[in-house]
Structure formats: structure tokens, C-alpha cells
Amino acid sequence: MGSITRPQILLHSYRPSLKPSSSSSSSSSSLPLFRKLPISLFSSFPKLSTPTVHPRTFSSNSNSISNSNSISNSNSNSIVGDLLDYLNEFWTHFHATAEAKRQLISAGFHVLDENEEWDLKPGGRYFFTRNMSSLVAFSVGEKYNVGNGFHVIAAHTDSPCLKLKPKFVSSKADYSMVNVQTYGAGLWHTWFDRDLSVAGRVIVRSSSNSYVHRLVKVKRPLLRIPTLAIHLDRTVNQDGFKPNLETHLLPLLSMKPGEISSGSALSSKASHHPLLMQILSDELNCDVDDIVSVELNVCDTQPSCLGGGNNEFIFSGRLDNLASSYCALRALIDSSESPGDLASEHAIRMVALFDNEEVGSDSVQGAGAPTMFQAIKRIIGSLESKYVGEGSFERTIRQSFLVSADMAHGVHPNFMDKHEEHHRPELQKGLVIKYNANQRYATTGITSFLFKEVGKIHNLPIQEFVVRNDMGCGSTIGPILASGVGIRTIDCGIAQLSMHSIREICGKEDIDIAYKHFKAFYQSFSEIDKMLTVDI
């Protein structure tokens, strides 16, 4: 969850390293009218089936770290084990998007190219990526008619982190160091004294003198940002640790700047450290000079795992917001998997995963771009088989509903006064609906009612959150998307602690609850939306 203020490049598909790794209706009344439906309607809602257990195989240099705390594959009622594997393997927004692409293809979704004409069919399942850091996937109900709504869950793939500067070579006192810049509003003191490495994407020159997009992840610890010894900073515990983000946050790479292993080729790029470039070329199984561009994050190498006395917690980086992204993705795949899943669906089910939320969403791959709404227009246009009358897009938007899924602030037991006393979400108690009278969240009384009905019908718990009046409030992609086109929106999320730390905490059960709630939303919302009439 970030603090929001308010030429497209299509690259080759993700390729793993060639070198083996070591590791509605409306009403004239001014008040909403609740239209009661017969009990028989609710019996027609599909029951939440046990989530399909997909084999935990990954398309990248997969070398999942064995963890005795990991969820057993035999526990078919939980997706937590799959989430842990996902977090352990996919350290960056690029990797997470590439894995989402792989899972969608494996589930039978068809890849679309934004540069090509789309030929869509009712009952079809499709997706496209942009910048390999954002993705839109959707499944078309077999009873869809143009003008029917889209049911969307939107999340983001990025997290606060350190990124390498374009000229990242640096040296001080005979140490080789790496120049970094801060991305988002991270708790930067948590990055000190951690075993760090790099991951991201590079552009590589191929043998045919063309260029390809490659993902890279160096699994072993390469970098470390050491803190100053207390003997040299005697007042740190009294005055607080206040590092200068430009001069104190440079990671150490090695001793003796410029020295690399015997026999290694020197990089021709003076702005890039030759040792790190050699390490990247070894991972990619290519020559150093064939690497023409790098876009790398600094990443923590400690694996995600279960923790706590009863293994009730998930300890991991990047829970904000890959946990939401993964639950939404799996909910779409699993609610559209069987031949009959879309047989009676009148709407289109969609997931949208955006980049750059942590820095305001104003980018071609962020929620501030018209990506999702352009996609909706194109989908409508492709599915128009006959004249459908005026305002098909506008009618579609008015019948659509967006769930903005981003992590939420669970109450901290040591800082309970930071929460409004009647709105203190707890871990393991279900999704948190976020409210803000000043529209930092897009939730309204109407949208919260409808989303709570999903949980009520399927016996799923819900919590509520508002920030204290004497504290500032963060925001999400919800208000951006809601105001961009006028789609009904709710902001919700999984409660967590240590948000924006290098190491975050959430409840294990909340992952499964979120997955079930999102899946229930896809399966049930078409019928639930008929229950309430507004604006006639």
C-alpha cells in the first residue's frame, strides 16, 4: 500500500536463464431500496469448492528453499504453501508478472497482444502484459451480452525497495560499493545488516543482432549495508537511528574496486561495476558486452516462511502487495477452470495487476494509465456481434464493480494507540474493508454492503478500518480507478504488521480467507448485485 498523490515498449516474452542455477437497475427514491430475493436464490450460489492444488513448478531458475515450516502439498484446503513458493522464487515485480503469465497459460488462458486485433468469444479466457510488470487477465461469461458488467479485482506488483542507479559503480576506502536509489516509502533502517542480492531484468543482444528481454536473479548474498558500531555512535539508542539515504545506504559488494576473478572479461561499461556485470553474465550465460541495459532491484535473500508458536504467521518481504496479487490471480484462475464455471455467468471476470503503486501509479504500466479501461473498451468492441445501441461502454461501467485489494494495517500490540479504538483490525480475522471520509479510499456504503454480502453468504469474516482523525491516511489505486471512469469500487486488504519493512508479517489463515472471498466474489457477485437498487 503506497501513499498516492496523483513510448510503450513491448519486449520479448520472459525467458528463463539458459544456464542452470545452483539454487443495473435503478430507483427514483433518494434512498437505496433493498430488494429482497427468495431464499431459493441463495441456494443457487455455487459453493466454494476446495481450491485446486497446482503443482509447485516454476518457469524461472527454480530452486525453492526447503523449509520445515512450509505447508504440506497434501493440505488441499490451503494456498499458503503455494504463496510461500511464489514469494521465495519471484523477488521482483518483473518475476511476479512473468510467473502470473506462466500460470495463466498453464490454466488455458490465451495471450493477447495489445498491438494486434483481438478476436474474443464468450466462454474464452485471455490476458496481456505490459512492460512485464503489469497484467490484465479476464474470463468471459458464456451468457455475456454487451452492456453487462465487469467484476474486477485490482492489485499491484511493486513493493518499496532499493534500485540500482543507472551508473551504479562506486568505491570508498578500498571497498567496491553499489549506488542505489530508494523506491517508494520504505522503512529503510530495516535494510541494514541484511544479506542482500540483486534481481530484475536486462536487455541482452542475441546472436541475430536483435535484443531480448531476460529476467535474472542472483540467489546468493552479494551485498550488505552495515550499520555503524555503537562505539562510534553512542547516542543512537537514545536519539534514534537516522541514516542519510544518499550517503549511508550504499551496499558493499567486495574489496579492492575493479578487481574480478582471474580470467573474467572486463566490462566496457565504465558506469557498471565489472564484477557485478560478470556475475550477471554468468547467470544469464552470455557475454558481458551483450548486456546492453540493466534494471535491477536490491533484494533480501532470506526465504519467506511460517513463524510463530503455532506457525500462524507468514514472515516475508513483499507481502505488500504480492499477497493480494497472488490471491486475486488464483481466484480468477480457479473460478474459471472447469468447463461449467462460466456457463451461467453474464459478466466478465477480470484481474488487473499494476506496477508503480508505491510511487503514485503515474506511469504507462501503473493504475494511473488507462490500461484497464482501454482493455474493457476493446473487449466490448470485439464481443459486439450485432448493433447493441447507444453507450455500450458507459452502460458496462455502470454495471461493473472493482475490488481494490491492498494490504491493510493490523493493530500493533505495542502501539495500539495508533489505531482508532473501534477500528482495530486483527490478524487471522479476515479481509479488512477500508473507509475514509476524505476519499483516500474509494469505499462507499453501497460498495461495502455488496462486498460484505459476498462474505456473509459464504460465511467469511470481514473487518473494518478507519484512520484516526489526528493521523494522516495512505491511499491505494482504488480512488484512481474509481475517479478515472466512474466504476463502483471498494478498498479492502489483508491485515499485516511491519508494512513497508524489508520483512513483513501477516496471518496464515488470512491468505486462505482472502482467496476464498475473492473467489466467492467472482462466483456470486452477478446475483448479489441484483439485490440492491440505487439511482432510479
Side-chain angles (χ1 to χ4, degrees):
M1 185 173 93
S3 178
I4 306 295
T5 58
R6 233 303 287 145
Q8 179 182 347
I9 301 175
L10 292 178
L11 298 167
H12 289 69
S13 298
Y14 164 53
R15 299 184 181 184
S17 170
L18 300 176
K19 185 172 181 176
S21 173
S22 62
S23 33
S24 104
S25 317
S26 38
S27 164
S28 60
S29 171
S30 61
L31 296 175
L33 298 178
F34 178 71
R35 185 178 297 168
K36 292 186 177 179
L37 297 181
I39 296 297
S40 59
L41 169 65
F42 299 104
S43 63
S44 68
F45 289 159
K47 293 183 178 180
L48 286 180
S49 57
T50 297
T52 303
V53 179
H54 298 281
R56 296 193 214 169
T57 55
F58 299 98
S59 59
S60 68
N61 300 329
S62 181
N63 183 24
S64 294
I65 299 173
S66 177
N67 189 328
S68 60
N69 291 333
S70 184
I71 299 294
S72 169
N73 276 339
S74 63
N75 183 2
S76 60
N77 292 318
S78 177
I79 67 166
V80 172
D82 292 334
L83 173 64
L84 289 175
D85 286 342
Y86 178 77
L87 292 166
N88 279 325
E89 289 301 319
F90 306 108
W91 289 0
T92 73
H93 49 317
F94 300 123
H95 289 83
T97 304
E99 173 58 15
K101 175 180 179 179
R102 186 201 68 81
Q103 290 197 22
L104 288 163
I105 292 173
S106 178
F109 283 68
H110 300 283
V111 184
L112 298 174
D113 186 338
E114 287 192 279
N115 290 331
E116 302 294 334
E117 185 175 355
W118 293 356
D119 181 19
L120 311 179
K121 306 293 182 185
R125 297 171 296 167
Y126 310 92
F127 77 95
F128 65 88
T129 64
R130 182 177 287 189
N131 190 49
M132 196 50 73
S133 63
S134 63
L135 175 146
V136 174
F138 58 95
S139 54
V140 184
E142 292 186 15
K143 293 189 176 180
Y144 172 81
N145 290 312
V146 171
N148 292 354
F150 283 62
H151 300 158
V152 188
I153 302 176
H156 65 91
T157 59
D158 61 318
S159 303
C161 66
L162 301 177
K163 292 179 178 284
L164 270 61
K165 292 181 178 179
K167 296 180 179 180
F168 58 75
V169 63
S170 181
S171 64
K172 293 181 182 179
D174 216 22
Y175 290 101
S176 289
M177 308 179 78
V178 177
N179 285 322
V180 295
Q181 54 184 329
T182 57
Y183 175 84
L187 291 173
W188 303 120
H189 67 275
T190 66
W191 286 72
F192 284 75
D193 295 334
R194 305 290 302 189
D195 296 342
L196 306 173
S197 191
V198 294
R201 72 163 165 204
V202 299
I203 306 300
V204 178
R205 182 186 296 108
S206 71
S207 57
S208 60
N209 205 32
S210 60
Y211 300 93
V212 293
H213 167 219
R214 300 277 299 279
L215 300 189
V216 64
K217 180 178 74 171
V218 182
K219 294 186 177 182
R220 68 182 178 91
L222 289 177
L223 306 171
R224 194 173 178 94
I225 309 171
T227 50
L228 185 62
I230 192 163
H231 313 82
L232 305 177
D233 190 7
R234 290 288 187 180
T235 63
V236 65
N237 290 327
Q238 292 75 41
D239 298 341
F241 182 44
K242 302 174 183 178
N244 182 292
L245 300 185
E246 178 65 21
T247 60
H248 298 159
L249 205 57
L250 276 69
L252 304 183
L253 173 64
S254 67
M255 296 294 297
K256 299 181 179 179
E259 181 178 299
I260 56 177
S261 59
S262 177
S264 297
L266 287 172
S267 170
S268 61
K269 306 169 181 62
S271 60
H272 297 165
H273 194 282
L275 175 57
L276 183 52
M277 294 300 293
Q278 186 63 54
I279 292 170
L280 294 175
S281 71
D282 290 343
E283 289 287 328
L284 294 164
N285 196 23
C286 70
D287 292 335
V288 170
D289 286 338
D290 286 334
I291 300 174
V292 298
S293 179
V294 297
E295 191 172 351
L296 300 177
N297 294 358
V298 176
C299 305
D300 188 13
T301 61
Q302 184 176 354
S304 304
C305 64
L306 296 185
N310 297 306
N311 280 337
E312 64 264 64
F313 302 128
I314 295 176
F315 298 158
S316 176
R318 308 178 310 284
L319 290 173
D320 178 16
N321 192 34
L322 289 185
S324 303
S325 296
Y326 187 75
C327 290
L329 177 72
R330 279 290 298 270
L332 177 67
I333 290 174
D334 293 350
S335 68
S336 308
E337 188 171 43
S338 301
D341 284 342
L342 300 172
S344 60
E345 180 60 84
H346 292 262
I348 292 178
R349 301 170 181 175
M350 175 179 281
V351 65
L353 307 180
F354 295 102
D355 192 6
N356 298 137
E357 188 273 347
E358 298 293 355
V359 293
S361 298
D362 290 332
S363 68
V364 69
Q365 58 273 356
T371 308
M372 190 178 83
F373 301 115
Q374 288 175 347
I376 290 175
K377 283 185 176 180
R378 294 191 65 175
I379 293 166
I380 293 170
S382 178
L383 292 170
E384 283 180 342
S385 58
K386 58 184 179 180
Y387 176 72
V388 295
E390 176 271 338
S392 57
F393 174 74
E394 289 77 11
R395 287 185 284 119
T396 294
I397 292 299
R398 294 307 306 138
Q399 296 193 68
S400 296
F401 193 94
L402 171 71
V403 177
S404 169
D406 204 348
M407 302 298 280
H409 296 291
V411 62
H412 194 304
N414 298 333
F415 300 90
M416 293 183 66
D417 60 328
K418 296 295 184 180
H419 273 70
E420 199 277 335
E421 62 176 324
H422 302 295
H423 299 84
R424 290 174 170 169
E426 300 178 35
L427 274 59
Q428 308 285 61
K429 297 294 180 65
L431 282 173
V432 179
I433 296 178
K434 308 174 189 179
Y435 300 83
N436 185 261
N438 297 302
Q439 298 301 297
R440 299 295 287 170
Y441 302 128
T443 305
T444 68
I446 299 299
T447 60
S448 64
F449 164 74
L450 292 171
F451 194 68
K452 284 190 285 190
E453 282 297 298
V454 174
K456 181 179 179 181
I457 291 167
H458 293 278
N459 197 29
L460 296 167
I462 276 288
Q463 306 182 81
E464 296 177 306
F465 169 80
V466 294
V467 73
R468 289 172 56 108
N469 291 328
D470 55 0
M471 295 184 65
C473 184
S475 191
T476 69
I477 60 177
I480 294 173
L481 296 171
S483 62
V485 75
I487 187 172
R488 295 176 297 169
T489 301
I490 184 171
D491 270 297
C492 70
I494 300 166
Q496 73 163 102
L497 302 176
S498 304
M499 186 178 287
H500 288 195
S501 170
I502 196 171
R503 198 77 175 166
E504 299 173 322
I505 309 172
C506 74
K508 178 180 70 175
E509 291 182 12
D510 286 331
I511 297 301
D512 289 320
I513 293 171
Y515 162 77
K516 291 175 183 177
H517 206 130
F518 292 161
K519 188 176 179 183
F521 167 73
Y522 284 132
Q523 294 175 327
S524 305
F525 193 78
S526 288
E527 295 300 325
I528 291 173
D529 198 26
K530 298 175 183 178
M531 296 163 54
L532 185 66
T533 300
V534 184
D535 291 329
I536 290 184

